[in-house]
Amino acid sequence: MAAHKPVEWVQAVVSRFDEQLPIKAGQQNTHTKVSTEHNKECLINISKYKFSLVISGLTNILKNVNNMVKDIWRTDYIGYTGKMSCWDETMLVKQLLPEICHFIHTYREGNQHAAELRNSASGVLFSLSCNNFNAVFSRISTRLQELTVCSEDNADVHDIELLQYISVDCIKLKRILQETVFKFKALKKVAQLAVINSLEKAFWNWVENYPDEFTKLYQTPQTDMADCAEKLFDLVDGFAESTKRKAAVWPLQIILLVLCPEIIQDIAKDVVEETKINKKLFLDNLRKALASHSGSRQLTESAAIACVKLCKASTYINWEDNSVIFLLVQSMVDDLKTLLFNPCKPFSRGNQNADVDLMIDCLVSCFRINPQNNPYLKICLAQNSPSTFHYVLVNSLQRIITNSEVDWWPKIDAVYCHSVELRSMFSETLQKAVQSCGSHPAIRMTPSLTFKEKMTSLKFKEKPTDLETRSYKFLLLSMVKLLHADPKLLLYNPRKQGPETQSSTAELITGLVQLVPQSNMPEIAQEAMEALLVLHQLESIDLWNPDAPIETFWEIR
């Protein structure tokens, strides 16, 4: 059938995939999940030879499903887009691209799976744009042109926001900047704000996916890139007439300034050209807002965001290529860390997820700039610090381990010296999480605790709130993932005697074993099993007790 009737064969496989989606088949069991995964693999293999037929079939499925679909956009589906270059571009624009954009835009419609849909669909859009940038950018550019002559104050800007999700290299970024410079002034305020927000995210798509290109910008400055960035900086500066608008544009303005290495050098001098005065004034205002405790809260928050962006961007630049940008970072970073990492007055903008992401970016960037002098690591490690600080620290360490594409970024071994504090945090979090779920936490093996202290910690603490319970679970999950990523972070025991090392290892493993049967925390239980497997690898067993690894292994086992 496959050889003589390829169309019918592909349609049959696509139909079977469609029928097995949870929206039609209902709750999946192990057998149906395996069958669905098999069908996905089959479709991916078929797409190597009959790509347009597969994508056409999947596009038709998308057109017929409602907003409750959850599993149609999965990571496996992104695998189909790798062959897009062999597909007719007109067909791509007319059929698949509008469906992807629809799923990205449903994020605003209150769907319970909207965030997941948006993340998955944006991943597909990114893959599409890698090989079909012209088709994707044409949709954005067309909408920009329409908005330059639109008189509506609340025009639809969804297509402009697609800039956030597309693949951007240096040449494409320059093209986007040129297009924006040409049309920015003619746009209404709502469209201008959409462009400002989306361009900043497009910049990070470039830096994070093509870090070498950004690094080279500071080795061999590109006049055309800097020219576009400076023109847009001036346009945005003119737009920022009020405090509210200044707060909206500062994060983009610092990015545009970073794209101009020579201007950063020039405005570091005492006397600057007239055309550069607004850039120097911008940095002065940024510093003032960051250090001010009585000024505008909006500007202080925006200054914090902009400064974190500056710190993050500087980590992709070799200090030898441009020392001035690091002097600029040093002039702001102390005030920034004081604002973000004050245990007595935690930083808050009313959006906890965004605040946590900002703090993680800051902590990771400061570590990469100077791993040996980072007192805020200790603040986050302190037992009496807010649980948010602990969560930020653990996820920062995870990022340092998993994201290390730049040669000069320091490695995680600079943090091994804090293993004792990390083990203590794990034990405390485990105890709180298990206790809050109604299970009986294991007695800690730490010799310093008396029997009375152990019993008090188990029985007489106030019952945590639901919010505290969730925070304990999130932190515990992150800590188990961290242990999975690098066991040495919690196994490292410098200058400790063999029995102490063995005791701390036993406590760690006992805690993980305790998590495995926790049916009310299935994700943590699964991750604990994975961590235990990693701990039982040969190189990890050697760390259980370097003085007597084999004896310790059998005793703990």
Side-chain angles (χ1 to χ4, degrees), residues 32-50:
T32 55
K33 283 181 181 179
V34 170
S35 180
T36 301
E37 290 301 317
H38 176 75
N39 281 337
K40 288 180 182 179
E41 292 174 8
C42 185
L43 282 172
I44 291 172
N45 288 328
I46 295 171
S47 69
K48 296 175 183 177
Y49 310 99
K50 298 293 179 181

Side-chain angles (χ1 to χ4, degrees), residues 247-260:
V249 304
W250 278 3
L252 175 63
Q253 282 187 291
I254 198 68
I255 293 303
L256 294 173
L257 209 52
V258 165
L259 290 172
C260 308

Side-chain angles (χ1 to χ4, degrees), residues 398-533:
Q398 181 79 21
R399 186 180 298 180
I400 290 166
I401 294 168
T402 57
N403 187 350
S404 57
E405 65 262 21
V406 179
D407 293 341
W408 55 81
W409 282 354
K411 304 302 180 186
I412 194 64
D413 56 7
V415 188
Y416 286 164
C417 57
H418 296 293
S419 60
V420 174
E421 297 103 308
L422 286 169
R423 282 197 302 274
S424 177
M425 186 188 297
F426 173 74
S427 297
E428 293 293 332
T429 307
L430 170 66
Q431 186 176 7
K432 290 175 181 177
V434 174
Q435 186 177 357
S436 66
C437 293
S439 302
H440 213 49
I443 298 293
R444 290 184 60 185
M445 298 174 64
T446 309
S448 60
L449 286 182
T450 65
F451 178 76
K452 182 179 178 181
E453 288 170 332
K454 292 171 184 174
M455 295 309 296
T456 301
S457 68
L458 293 181
K459 291 186 176 180
F460 303 118
K461 287 189 176 180
E462 293 182 7
K463 186 176 181 180
T465 64
D466 289 342
L467 182 61
E468 287 174 330
T469 298
R470 285 197 298 273
S471 69
Y472 296 150
K473 286 183 178 180
F474 283 131
L475 177 56
L476 182 59
L477 177 61
S478 297
M479 291 215 71
V480 177
K481 286 182 176 180
L482 184 65
L483 177 59
H484 184 182
D486 188 347
K488 197 170 182 179
L489 260 177
L490 278 80
L491 287 175
Y492 189 66
N493 277 292
R495 298 180 298 279
K496 277 199 173 186
Q497 298 298 317
E500 288 183 274
T501 300
Q502 181 171 325
S503 176
S504 65
T505 300
E507 182 178 342
L508 185 64
I509 292 176
T510 300
L512 289 172
V513 170
Q514 183 188 358
L515 288 172
V516 172
Q518 296 289 340
S519 58
N520 51 0
M521 297 188 288
E523 190 175 1
I524 296 176
Q526 179 62 41
E527 196 65 41
M529 285 189 278
E530 298 291 338
L532 283 167
L533 286 174

